Amino acid sequence: MKQHEIFMEMALQQAREALAAGDFPVGCVLEYGGDIAASGRRSNSFGRTNEIDHAEILALRSLLAGSRKIDIDRVTVYSTMEPCLMCYATMLVNGVRRFVFSYEDAMGGGTNLPLQMLSPLYRGMNVLVVGEVLRDKSLALFKDFFSSPDCQYLKSSLLASYTLNQ
């Protein structure tokens, strides 16, 4: 199994845990030097929903709170869904430059942001983005989520209809 697939399997496990808890099935691991430096899964996407507890943000908070010395520009983000604009920009501002995702976010994905057209903070960034790693496995989790009668989060969204029509 290739490195991207190995770490994406770990992110998928985080996503499965989120789904089992009733949350949107996004999982994330941050790889550094061949090891998982931090991980996170989406939380608070049911009940009193908030849009801060995304898997990538929680993983980054965990990484930054740790005592391990990390050269953040050598971190690779593995996420079961393409990072949204908030997560992508937060990672970029914090120095992350490598992103691997499984399922595209047809509604709010941020990785197609034209950095060269933005302000100087972003303009010179050299970013690597790899998509569709183990896409079918991630898609299956999102289909399970959106097809559940208990699902209220993003139920009538473009993402839900796009996913269910795959």
Side-chain angles (χ1 to χ4, degrees):
M1 195 181 284
K2 296 183 237 172
Q3 178 174 339
H4 287 335
E5 292 171 346
I6 292 168
F7 286 101
M8 190 58 72
E9 282 289 354
M10 296 175 191
L12 282 162
Q13 183 54 42
Q14 292 290 318
R16 287 181 197 101
E17 291 174 15
L19 183 62
D23 273 304
F24 196 51
V26 180
C28 177
V29 297
L30 304 181
E31 177 270 332
Y32 178 75
D35 295 319
I36 295 176
S39 63
R41 63 178 177 88
R42 180 65 160 101
S43 62
N44 296 312
S45 59
F46 66 92
R48 186 174 178 167
T49 304
N50 79 53
E51 291 301 334
I52 299 170
D53 294 335
H54 288 202
E56 299 90 346
I57 299 297
L58 297 176
L60 182 62
R61 283 182 178 161
S62 176
L63 178 76
L64 297 175
S67 60
R68 185 174 173 197
K69 178 76 172 145
I70 298 284
D71 185 4
I72 200 154
D73 65 346
R74 291 182 42 223
V75 167
T76 302
V77 175
Y78 288 87
S79 184
T80 60
M81 175 169 268
E82 177 186 4
C84 71
L85 187 57
M86 174 185 72
C87 293
Y88 187 57
T90 300
M91 293 284 184
L92 290 173
V93 169
N94 278 279
V96 177
R97 299 294 184 266
R98 294 191 306 250
F99 300 83
V100 179
F101 66 86
S102 185
Y103 183 55
E104 66 276 9
D105 184 346
M107 186 172 75
T111 64
N112 61 358
L113 187 67
L115 299 177
Q116 68 282 3
M117 297 178 72
L118 298 179
S119 64
L121 175 65
Y122 300 96
R123 197 174 299 141
M125 292 181 179
N126 185 16
V127 179
L128 172 70
V129 177
V130 176
E132 298 190 358
V133 174
L134 302 179
R135 182 183 184 274
D136 289 342
K137 289 184 177 187
S138 189
L139 174 59
L141 295 175
F142 288 103
K143 281 187 171 189
D144 286 350
F145 179 81
F146 285 125
S147 62
S148 169
D150 297 330
C151 173
Q152 295 304 312
Y153 183 71
L154 300 176
K155 183 87 173 167
S156 300
S157 69
L158 169 67
L159 181 60
S161 64
Y162 175 82
T163 300
L164 293 171
N165 288 314
Q166 292 288 307

